[in-house]
Amino acid sequence: MSKAAETRQMILQKSFELIYRQGYQATSIDNILATTQVTKGAFFYHFKSKDEMGLALINEVLYPGMYANMVTPLIDARDPINQIYAMVRNLLIKIPFLRAKYGCPAINLIEELAPLKEDFRKALVRLTEQWQDAIAQTIEHGKEDNQIRIDVNSKHAACFIVAGYAGIRNMGKAMGSACYTPYLLELKNYLQLME
Amino acid sequence: MSKAAETRQMILQKSFELIYRQGYQATSIDNILATTQVTKGAFFYHFKSKDEMGLALINEVLYPGMYANMVTPLIDARDPINQIYAMVRNLLIKIPFLRAKYGCPAINLIEELAPLKEDFRKALVRLTEQWQDAIAQTIEHGKEDNQIRIDVNSKHAACFIVAGYAGIRNMGKAMGSACYTPYLLELKNYLQLME
DNA sequence: TCTAATACATACCAATTAGTATGTTTATGC
DNA sequence: GCATAAACATACTAATTGGTATGTATTAGA
């Protein structure tokens, strides 16, 4: 990677962390410059505007991260129910970068920007749909293997599961990680009713 | 109500609507002044700061609204499962003021402000806990009436239900109200497994 | 090695932010 | 009706915002 590409990546990475903790609008460009030690000239050389940087951040940082943690663990699932549960559990309590207090980066961005910026909304919908599809497919595989009842509607269930995750991430921002435990216990109950 | 009290109430009401659509930080005081036709002098006569107004808004507008739509419908529930379902359904599709695109006012505020402002967080936790308690109590009543299986953990279930609502409200901001239907169908499934 | 584009640096700008200082009007109790 | 405080109005401020104008290094290809 060229030096310039490294600078660009570093800006995206640090901005991602700041925005995760503070929100997109509350994170000023000057704030980013101060923590990256990059000058304004460099920033606006790599990105036409703050929004262009934000979009790049979604596609180049958020998307790969979500794919690795939310889609990959489901590929070729041999034990769909437990793998879905494990994936959600891992997201909640096994990724050190993600803190209950700050929620989930993708959910945060949807909350803040979906109603305000159409291009952000579209980019974030793609993320959500990809995760939801991966879950639905996993459930379908489970049905083929007779591990999941055939009357389970995989798309409805996937929607329900994604909503639950998004919601507990929101709740965790207010209540702390303590609320993850009852949620996970009940998620397990819900999932086991599918078999 | 005195004229001054009316002014105060009007500021809170209009600010609530603006903040619901734009977010708290994105709604400037000047923006509020422009839509309320109130002058800066009047605003700062009634509220020491923007944050004091925001807190008053939670306690005097958000709280009563949430109580009426989220707690009252559950009081003396004779048919707990269907009443819980009906309450969630009403929240999602029967309150004209709430638009899928803009989500739920309380959830929005938690997302944006819980990590940033401790006093906002506390006020919003009170709201959430009250709703969760009301749902848990309703489930307990259902257990006493033999309408709900005694092995259902009411607190876990209440947490799971609240999380689901919060999450689908988030999803709706990105995807629109179309995602409410699959969610509600699966919620009904989940709830019926309790009886 | 020279050139020219790439990659960055500095200084600025107009608009907006929450908040204040200093008024003037309006209502209320006596 | 009159004093007094409550209720509002206007003009300002210092800080911050995203973005630009105009520079200077650095690097890669001919």
Side-chain angles (χ1 to χ4, degrees):
Chain A
M1 186 155 57
S2 74
K3 185 106 188 297
E6 270 177 36
T7 303
R8 195 189 128 96
Q9 266 301 109
M10 189 262 278
I11 294 173
L12 287 177
Q13 187 60 44
K14 296 255 186 194
S15 299
F16 177 71
E17 295 175 25
L18 284 175
I19 289 167
Y20 171 50
R21 287 173 171 76
Q22 303 174 340
Y24 179 81
Q25 296 174 103
T27 301
S28 69
I29 293 178
D30 283 357
N31 186 346
I32 292 169
L33 302 182
T35 61
T36 54
Q37 303 277 52
V38 158
T39 63
K40 198 160 267 196
F43 181 93
F44 281 99
Y45 170 77
H46 288 287
F47 308 101
K48 272 208 268 288
S49 66
K50 186 185 178 186
D51 280 5
E52 191 187 280
M53 188 275 291
L55 252 4
L57 189 152
I58 291 174
N59 293 318
E60 297 172 40
V61 182
L62 192 54
Y63 181 85
M66 94 95 195
Y67 200 93
N69 292 303
M70 301 165 112
V71 175
T72 304
L74 296 179
I75 290 177
D76 291 327
R78 294 173 179 276
D79 185 357
I81 286 177
N82 286 318
Q83 265 174 274
I84 290 173
Y85 175 79
M87 175 203 49
V88 173
R89 194 182 122 92
N90 280 337
L91 287 175
L92 287 178
I93 60 188
K94 294 284 180 186
I95 302 177
F97 174 73
L98 300 181
R99 304 287 305 119
K101 181 178 185 179
Y102 301 122
C104 164
I107 308 293
N108 293 358
L109 287 175
I110 290 174
E111 267 294 332
E112 183 181 2
L113 300 177
L116 298 180
K117 295 175 192 280
E118 181 60 14
D119 41 2
F120 279 71
R121 204 205 102 243
K122 280 184 182 159
L124 293 162
V125 162
R126 275 194 290 271
L127 290 200
T128 308
E129 280 175 346
Q130 194 145 354
W131 191 33
Q132 217 166 316
D133 288 352
I135 295 172
Q137 267 190 43
T138 303
I139 293 172
E140 282 300 321
H141 287 144
K143 286 161 76 172
E144 287 164 16
D145 294 356
N146 295 318
Q147 296 191 266
I148 291 178
R149 295 203 326 266
I150 48 157
D151 63 302
V152 170
N153 185 311
S154 58
K155 291 195 175 183
H156 297 179
C159 172
F160 196 67
I161 291 165
V162 170
Y165 171 76
I168 198 64
R169 271 299 187 191
N170 176 274
M171 203 184 293
K173 291 177 82 165
M175 320 259 256
S177 60
C179 63
Y180 291 170
T181 307
Y183 164 77
L184 283 171
L185 285 168
E186 196 64 13
L187 173 65
K188 193 158 222 167
N189 273 345
Y190 163 72
L191 289 172
Q192 257 145 17
L193 292 166
M194 301 202 310
E195 68 185 6
Chain B
M1 186 156 54
S2 74
K3 184 102 188 301
E6 271 176 37
T7 303
R8 196 190 128 95
Q9 266 301 110
M10 190 263 277
I11 293 173
L12 288 177
Q13 186 61 43
K14 296 255 184 193
S15 298
F16 177 71
E17 295 174 28
L18 284 175
I19 289 168
Y20 171 49
R21 287 173 170 76
Q22 303 174 339
Y24 179 79
Q25 296 172 104
T27 301
S28 70
I29 293 179
D30 283 357
N31 186 345
I32 292 169
L33 302 183
T35 62
T36 54
Q37 303 276 54
V38 158
T39 64
K40 198 159 267 196
F43 182 94
F44 280 99
Y45 171 76
H46 288 288
F47 307 101
K48 271 208 267 288
S49 66
K50 186 186 177 186
D51 280 5
E52 191 186 281
M53 187 276 291
L55 253 4
L57 190 153
I58 291 175
N59 293 318
E60 297 172 39
V61 181
L62 192 54
Y63 181 85
M66 95 95 195
Y67 200 92
N69 291 303
M70 300 164 113
V71 175
T72 304
L74 296 179
I75 289 176
D76 290 328
R78 294 172 180 278
D79 185 357
I81 288 178
N82 286 319
Q83 266 174 272
I84 290 172
Y85 175 78
M87 174 202 51
V88 174
R89 195 182 121 92
N90 280 337
L91 286 176
L92 288 177
I93 60 187
K94 294 285 181 187
I95 302 177
F97 174 74
L98 300 180
R99 304 288 305 117
K101 182 178 185 179
Y102 301 121
C104 163
I107 308 293
N108 293 357
L109 287 174
I110 290 174
E111 267 295 330
E112 183 182 2
L113 300 178
L116 298 181
K117 294 175 192 279
E118 182 61 14
D119 41 2
F120 278 71
R121 205 205 100 242
K122 280 185 183 159
L124 292 162
V125 161
R126 275 194 291 271
L127 290 200
T128 308
E129 280 176 346
Q130 194 145 354
W131 191 34
Q132 219 166 314
D133 289 352
I135 294 172
Q137 267 190 42
T138 303
I139 293 173
E140 282 301 321
H141 287 143
K143 287 161 75 174
E144 288 165 15
D145 294 356
N146 295 317
Q147 295 190 268
I148 291 179
R149 295 203 326 266
I150 47 157
D151 63 304
V152 170
N153 185 310
S154 59
K155 290 195 175 182
H156 297 179
C159 172
F160 195 66
I161 291 165
V162 170
Y165 171 76
I168 197 64
R169 272 299 187 191
N170 176 275
M171 203 184 292
K173 291 177 83 165
M175 321 260 255
S177 60
C179 64
Y180 291 170
T181 307
Y183 165 76
L184 283 171
L185 285 167
E186 197 64 12
L187 173 65
K188 193 158 222 167
N189 274 346
Y190 164 70
L191 289 172
Q192 256 145 17
L193 292 166
M194 301 201 313
E195 69 186 5

